[in-house]
Amino acid sequence: MGTLIVIDQPPYGTWAGREALDMAFSLAAFDQPVALLFTGSGVNWLRKSQETKGIGQKSVEKNLSAALIFGVEALYADATACARYGLVQDNMVTGVAMAENSAEVIRQHSHIAFAG
């Protein structure tokens, strides 16, 4: 498979994750196979109904919801990290696959990029 971009940073407070998402969209726009793996505090990107008015930033939820439409092949969430942050399928954006073994997801891709 193609490129896997690993996001392990929280969705707000740094631009690294947003830049990684832009890279994924760019690869997908040029028909390059790309997927995203969210791990560590990065799984918080996947939380539904994020309230961001207090920090003056737009929510990343709409961007992620569009990822599959724009050609990103898969969104993976590290199951251990999701449990740590209280995330389950019901409170996550649509289209996320739980990864019980992130190392296996990484091995399935020929190129790996880490945000941050």
Side-chain angles (χ1 to χ4, degrees):
M1 195 184 249
T3 302
L4 178 69
I5 299 174
V6 180
I7 297 178
D8 63 355
Q9 304 290 316
Y12 309 102
T14 177
W15 292 104
R18 287 183 188 259
E19 290 168 352
L21 191 60
D22 287 345
M23 182 176 16
F25 283 161
S26 295
L27 287 166
F30 288 98
D31 293 325
Q32 298 299 307
V34 62
L36 295 164
L37 170 63
F38 296 87
T39 186
S41 61
V43 296
N44 287 298
W45 278 75
L46 304 171
R47 191 176 303 275
K48 278 185 190 174
S49 304
Q50 296 179 26
E51 184 56 53
T52 60
K53 289 179 187 172
I55 60 172
Q57 290 187 7
K58 291 184 179 181
S59 171
V60 296
E61 187 175 349
K62 287 183 182 177
N63 299 79
L64 286 176
S65 296
L68 299 174
I69 295 168
F70 285 107
V72 174
E73 293 187 344
L75 302 175
Y76 298 103
D78 178 78
T80 302
C82 286
R84 184 179 322 127
Y85 288 96
L87 284 165
V88 294
Q89 292 290 169
D90 289 344
N91 64 358
M92 295 170 67
V93 296
T94 305
V96 177
M98 284 290 192
E100 296 297 329
N101 185 343
S102 292
E104 181 59 33
V105 173
I106 290 171
R107 276 192 293 277
Q108 293 173 1
H109 292 82
S110 54
H111 305 285
I112 313 300
F114 289 88

